[in-house]
Amino acid sequence: MINIESIQTAYKILQSVVHKTPLLSSRTFNETTGNEVYFKAENFQRIGAFKFRGAYNKISSLTVEERKHGVIAHSSGNHGQGVALASKIFGIKSVVVMPHNSVKSKVEATKGYGAEVVFCGLSTDDREKTTQELIDKYGYTRVHPYNDEKLIAGQGTVGLEIFQEIKELDYLFVPIGGGGLISGCAIAAKHLSPKTKVIGVETEGANDCYQSFRAKKLIRLQSVDTIADGMRTLSVGSLNFEIIMKHVDDVITIKDDDIYPMMKFFLERMKILVEPTGAVAPAAVMKNVLGLKGKKICAVISGGNVDPVFLKQLL
């Protein structure tokens, strides 16, 4: 089982290749919410999202034989870019399976980092099926987007960096897609700051973890409907869910409509570009879903890769 030592080891591996992203704050946001709030800005990470951390840590652990055959991943965008860039650094072949309706800019970026892109249907099942067919045919090594110990350890370095700068934190808000980011961050938080409450955030249209957390069993949705494309998984991973149940204090939801004002605030007041999924955890703080006052809070901005068409609509 993954632990704080796994995350610390990953941090040593990643230090020379990742950006140590900043913790940002806004006096206006603090005054509005009545809390002392920090944003961990992974939109400034390489490839524009936290996903590079986990992908690099996983690929760094592969054997010479596995690297020779190349790697494969399925992704709607950010994980694919992370795998593509990490593979390029290691000089190995990468293939990324993407839904045919993926954001064009994310597809182009994935190709730009050197990956071969293969398109598939829209569901998670379609991605898994196409990925497995290519593994069977070519012998690629799978780099799972969230249900993998090495990957979780890499994502956990986000939490490690937070607590290097903030020693005492009341709440840590983290978005949940497949569960890799919150799994790693929760392990780091509970080891480095046991009193910190870790809160997972989803959108109502993709609330599989919210339901699973309350039912205390893994629930798989039939479909999802959300503008947060990083949350369009039908269920969190089994390994991720085990960690979430052990280390996460609560899972909450927001509406898609809560995302727009948060993105707008980031753009107009803080001058940063944040994608819909990246705005989910901060939006829960802006909306004050938990009714907090006078608390020290950190919310993770998971990425900043916004579809230009969506951005135009937002503006």
Side-chain angles (χ1 to χ4, degrees), residues 108-136:
E108 293 306 314
T110 303
K111 289 179 178 178
Y113 289 124
E116 175 189 338
V117 173
V118 176
F119 292 105
C120 66
L122 302 184
S123 74
T124 304
D125 289 343
D126 291 329
R127 299 187 202 182
E128 291 283 359
K129 181 174 180 290
T130 303
T131 300
Q132 190 58 53
E133 287 172 352
L134 292 169
I135 289 172
D136 293 342

Side-chain angles (χ1 to χ4, degrees), residues 163-268:
F163 290 102
Q164 284 174 349
E165 294 191 49
I166 307 176
K167 300 305 179 187
E168 294 181 3
L169 195 63
D170 295 312
Y171 286 85
L172 176 62
F173 284 72
V174 187
I176 302 176
L181 178 61
I182 194 168
S183 298
C185 285
I187 291 170
K190 293 305 180 182
H191 181 85
L192 300 170
S193 181
K195 292 182 180 178
T196 299
K197 292 189 180 300
V198 180
I199 309 297
V201 191
E202 291 182 307
T203 55
E204 289 181 355
N207 68 348
D208 55 286
C209 191
Y210 173 85
Q211 292 188 40
S212 300
F213 189 81
R214 278 152 180 74
K216 293 182 171 55
K217 64 178 182 179
L218 201 54
I219 289 176
R220 180 182 172 88
L221 301 179
Q222 294 301 308
S223 62
V224 293
D225 181 16
T226 180
I227 60 170
D229 62 320
M231 293 188 171
R232 291 175 188 160
T233 50
L234 300 178
S235 73
V236 294
S238 55
L239 176 58
N240 311 105
F241 183 62
E242 184 180 342
I243 296 169
I244 288 167
M245 292 305 296
K246 185 176 180 180
H247 295 296
V248 173
D249 295 280
D250 199 3
V251 178
I252 60 176
T253 62
I254 61 164
K255 300 178 185 296
D256 270 11
D257 285 347
D258 298 327
I259 295 173
Y260 297 105
M262 190 70 252
M263 290 180 67
K264 187 169 183 283
F265 183 91
F266 279 138
L267 198 59
E268 292 184 345

